[in-house]
Amino acid sequence: MNLLSRTRALFCWLFLFCLGAIWIARQEYVDQYDRFFQSSSIAQRMLSQKTVQHEAVLATLAALSHPPLPERLYPSLQPALPQLLGLGYLADGAWSGSTAAPPAGPRRGNARANPGGPSPCRWTPRSTG
């Protein structure tokens, strides 16, 4: 085997090796992209389901003609919605609810249900972080 033939064989082997490495890297990238896309879709679906569940509970509570007192309602909702810290309402700036003081956390009114102004209801989700 002469030197030119060895050099040509080495370049052919190097070219095929690079093609194989590129193909393997692309396959790994596609697999990672697919796993990320699937995981993010699952997370989005779970968050959407939880949001719809919370909105349904709030809509049901708002639709009751004689809603139960927050002190009685909170213990029954707590097992199904463990993220609730408290349930109640602000009447003339005074908290009345299942806890002595309003739960700490972000205030969230039901502005979509009451476009005429802020709702006296207060629902505070438990932080997960």
Side-chain angles (χ1 to χ4, degrees), residues 2 18 22 32-33 37 46 65 68 71 74 76-78 81 84 98 104 110 119 128:
N2 62 17
C18 288
I22 290 170
Q32 285 182 0
Y33 178 81
F37 188 72
M46 290 175 67
S65 60
E71 296 84 10
Y74 180 67
S76 63
L77 284 177
Q78 185 64 28
L81 299 168
L84 287 180
S98 59
N110 196 355
S119 172
T128 58

Side-chain angles (χ1 to χ4, degrees), residues 94-105:
W95 171 256
S96 176
S98 59
T99 57

Side-chain angles (χ1 to χ4, degrees), residues 49-93:
Q49 288 172 349
K50 276 294 188 185
T51 302
V52 168
Q53 179 187 14
H54 291 170
E55 292 295 326
V57 168
L58 291 175
T60 302
L61 291 175
L64 292 175
S65 60
H66 300 293
L69 294 174
E71 296 84 10
R72 289 185 41 221
L73 185 61
Y74 180 67
S76 63
L77 284 177
Q78 185 64 28
L81 299 168
Q83 64 274 15
L84 287 180
L85 294 175
L87 191 64
Y89 57 92
L90 290 171
D92 298 327

Side-chain angles (χ1 to χ4, degrees), residues 105-126:
R107 292 180 182 233
R108 178 180 160 128
N110 196 355
R112 287 184 292 176
N114 188 5
S119 172
C121 296
R122 179 173 170 166
W123 171 64
T124 307
R126 181 177 291 158

